[in-house]
């Protein structure tokens, strides 16, 4: 992601409605402008006293198939697509007020979040952005599933990912992208969540996702997606990169480096952020020095 010099927020509040894919409840969220250095946060306004839950690696807890944040026992769930939209648009100060613990699933992508934030407008603030410059190769995972951060040959974030189901309707997909607001909106934001039909049936039997239909995301049977057409031939791997962008936002700064992944997911995304923060310093954006 080519780094901007100044921190950004949105110009005005904007609302979006939907329902949670896991719990099935109607949910309304409102993106609100935030002050310099306040970062990204979710505010549970459904409680007697609103509770602010920062979008940081320290607040992430392990839950299957989604990114969950917790503060004093209170959670917000499936935040990765919201965070991906914010990070993809280079918005680093914003509060997301919600009347439910789970974010709306919308169409399984980040597109509607991007549309709402773009409609609100993005403004610069009088403060420098913060950046973590990857200066050595960091790897997490094992030979079957791994994620690496490598130094970049410039300033910015690029991601290469290999999704490998070996065979079947998804098969093996690879994709690379240099991340910036334009490329994110065009190439990643529309990419939807995907499941194999047998995975979806297991979730329904566990009383999870009963309100979701094949029209709400991508569900693959042996012949391909059911009741939906692909937006990209390699939409599944693009969605995996979308998730990485969202999970990297938990670093609470820009990341300048090249991320390479193979069959990894939210757990390894979070582990990589943790190791990067432990091994690297966060400094003012190098774009400030470049433009001085």
């Amino acid at each position: 992601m080519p780094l901007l010099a100044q921190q950004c927020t949105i110009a005005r509040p904007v609302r979006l409605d939907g329902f949670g894919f896991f719990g099935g409840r109607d949910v309304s969220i409102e993106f609100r402008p935030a002050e310099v250095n306040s970062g990204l946060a979710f505010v549970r306004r459904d409680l007697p006293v609103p509770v602010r839950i920062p979008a940081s690696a320290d607040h992430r807890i392990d839950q299957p198939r989604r990114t969950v944040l917790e503060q004093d026992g209170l959670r917000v769930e499936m935040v990765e697509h919201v965070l991906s939209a914010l990070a993809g648009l280079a918005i680093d100060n914003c509060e997301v007020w919600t009347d439910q613990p789970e974010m709306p699933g919308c169409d399984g992508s980040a597109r509607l979040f991007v549309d709402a934030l773009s409609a609100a407008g993005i403004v610069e603030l009088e403060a420098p952005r913060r950046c973590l410059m990857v200066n050595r190769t960091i790897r997490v995972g094992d030979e079957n599933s791994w994620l690496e951060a490598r130094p970049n040959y410039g300033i910015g974030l690029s991601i290469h990912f290999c999704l490998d189901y070996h065979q079947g309707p998804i098969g093996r997909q690879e994709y690379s992208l240099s991340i910036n607001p334009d490329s994110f909106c065009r190439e990643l934001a529309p990419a939807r969540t995907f499941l194999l039909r047998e995975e979806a049936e297991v979730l329904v039997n566990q009383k999870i996702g009963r309100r979701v239909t094949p029209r709400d995301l991508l569900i693959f049977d042996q012949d391909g997606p059911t009741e939906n057409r692909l937006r990209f031939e390699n939409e599944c791997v693009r969605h995996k990169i979308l998730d990485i962008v969202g999970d990297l936002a938990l670093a609470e700064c820009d990341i300048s480096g090249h991320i390479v992944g193979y069959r990894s997911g939210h757990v390894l995304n979070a582990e990589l952020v943790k190791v990067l923060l432990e091994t690297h310093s966060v400094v003012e954006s190098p774009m400030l020095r470049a433009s001085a």
Side-chain angles (χ1 to χ4, degrees):
M1 181 181 298
L3 303 178
L4 305 178
Q6 302 299 120
Q7 295 182 27
C8 293
T9 189
I10 55 175
R12 62 176 179 83
V14 63
R15 175 176 165 174
L16 189 148
D17 300 321
F19 69 90
F21 279 1
F22 285 85
R25 295 180 179 179
D26 290 333
V27 55
S28 175
I29 64 172
E30 184 177 65
F31 295 101
R32 298 186 183 183
E35 299 295 324
V36 162
N37 294 325
S38 60
L40 304 177
F42 295 84
V43 181
R44 288 277 305 275
R45 63 182 177 87
D46 57 313
L47 302 169
V49 177
V51 173
R52 187 178 189 273
I53 305 175
S56 74
D58 290 339
H59 290 83
R60 183 194 174 277
I61 62 171
D62 285 336
Q63 288 291 307
R65 294 184 175 273
R66 60 201 186 275
T67 296
V68 178
L69 303 173
E70 183 176 85
Q71 170 76 39
D72 297 329
L74 299 170
R75 298 179 179 181
V76 282
E77 303 196 9
M78 201 176 164
V79 300
E80 59 269 24
H81 301 163
V82 173
L83 291 177
S84 190
L86 288 162
L89 292 172
I91 298 168
D92 44 3
N93 297 292
C94 185
E95 288 189 340
V96 185
W97 286 62
T98 176
D99 62 359
Q100 292 290 341
E102 184 181 353
M103 294 298 99
C106 299
D107 67 350
S109 77
R111 185 171 65 177
L112 293 183
F113 302 122
V114 164
D115 290 347
L117 292 165
S118 298
I122 301 169
V123 295
E124 289 190 351
L125 300 169
E126 293 299 321
R129 300 177 71 88
R130 300 166 67 246
C131 178
L132 186 154
M133 303 284 293
V134 179
N135 58 24
R136 74 201 82 162
T137 297
I138 302 293
R139 183 182 178 114
V140 295
D142 56 32
E143 66 274 11
N144 297 314
S145 175
W146 52 267
L147 195 65
E148 281 188 357
R150 304 172 182 173
N152 216 341
Y153 290 107
I155 297 173
L157 174 67
S158 58
I159 302 176
H160 176 89
F161 196 85
C162 178
L163 175 69
D164 193 357
Y165 275 69
H166 301 299
Q167 56 186 357
I170 297 175
R172 181 184 176 101
Q173 301 179 11
E174 293 190 54
Y175 190 60
S176 297
L177 190 68
S178 293
I179 311 296
N180 59 60
D182 288 339
S183 68
F184 179 86
C185 292
R186 184 178 61 252
E187 307 294 346
L188 297 183
R192 291 162 292 181
T193 299
F194 61 94
L195 290 169
L196 296 175
R197 177 176 290 279
E198 53 264 37
E199 294 175 315
E201 290 172 350
V202 169
L203 292 175
V204 170
N205 290 336
Q206 295 173 345
K207 300 183 179 180
I208 297 172
R210 288 190 168 185
R211 189 172 173 183
V212 182
T213 75
R215 294 183 298 277
D216 296 313
L217 38 71
L218 293 175
I219 295 179
F220 285 80
D221 63 16
Q222 61 183 1
D223 298 318
T226 64
E227 300 188 45
N228 259 325
R229 292 184 177 180
L230 291 172
R231 293 172 178 169
F232 307 97
E233 183 179 359
N234 58 353
E235 185 168 353
C236 295
V237 71
R238 291 176 189 243
H239 184 82
K240 295 293 288 187
I241 296 176
L242 182 155
D243 280 345
I244 291 172
V245 172
D247 288 338
L248 290 180
L250 299 179
E252 300 181 275
C253 64
D254 293 325
I255 292 178
S256 181
H258 182 54
I259 309 299
V260 181
Y262 176 71
R263 301 185 69 197
S264 58
H266 293 299
V267 172
L268 288 183
N269 295 346
E271 186 176 344
L272 182 65
V273 169
K274 180 180 178 181
V275 175
L276 285 172
L277 291 173
E278 290 173 347
T279 57
H280 289 69
S281 298
V282 177
V283 299
E284 287 186 359
S285 170
M287 287 300 292
L288 287 177
R289 296 192 294 272
S291 61

